[in-house]
Amino acid sequence: MPRILVIDDEPLVRSTVIMILTRAGFSVEEASDGQAGIAMFHKSQPDLVITDIFMPNRDGIEVVMELKRLCPRTTIIAMTGGGQMRMMEIASAAKSLGADHILHKPFERESLLAAVNAVLGTLPPPRSQHGA
């Protein structure tokens, strides 16, 4: 099963993403900011990085640029909150710098799993009768 690194400075967002991915059967590691995320990437070499864009200690744009410089084949999903024009421009910049997908917060469980499965080329998990 693919290994995923989640980088987000908001503990609730990070723990929610981790819970959804873990329940879907993925192996997940976490980091609370961009600098810690890059260090974790070196240590674990995940198949996918999901990073917030706005964070302290190296924002998501810097994370995308650094990871693509280190390993151009790195698969990255960048997350951003809100729908304001400035955030849309920043999300577009992340995409042009190498993010494979942009996920806009807040998002539903299905949107997260669809994005992960799309960029990894994996099959979606079977639908749970109990939900997540």
Side-chain angles (χ1 to χ4, degrees), residues 42-61:
H42 285 291
K43 180 180 164 192
S44 65
Q45 296 291 304
D47 300 297
L48 169 63
V49 175
I50 300 176
T51 184
D52 189 20
I53 292 179
F54 296 103
M55 298 180 292
N57 300 323
R58 300 188 86 169
D59 64 34
I61 298 293

Side-chain angles (χ1 to χ4, degrees), residues 56-126:
N57 300 323
R58 300 188 86 169
D59 64 34
I61 298 293
E62 292 173 299
V63 169
V64 170
M65 290 171 43
E66 179 71 7
L67 295 184
K68 286 296 184 174
R69 184 186 68 74
L70 293 170
C71 184
R73 291 185 176 179
T74 301
T75 304
I76 302 171
I77 294 175
M79 300 183 292
T80 184
Q84 300 161 337
M85 185 57 76
R86 176 114 171 91
M87 289 188 188
M88 297 298 282
E89 291 172 4
I90 292 169
S92 178
K95 183 90 169 159
S96 69
L97 292 169
D100 297 280
H101 187 84
I102 304 297
L103 196 57
H104 297 276
K105 296 178 190 177
F107 48 81
E108 299 290 324
R109 172 188 179 275
E110 293 78 18
S111 299
L112 172 62
L113 292 175
V116 168
N117 287 312
V119 299
L120 290 176
T122 54
L123 295 174

Side-chain angles (χ1 to χ4, degrees), residues 14-26:
R14 195 171 64 246
S15 65
T16 301
V17 170
I18 290 167
M19 180 189 66
I20 292 168
L21 296 173
T22 301
R23 286 184 179 177
F26 293 101

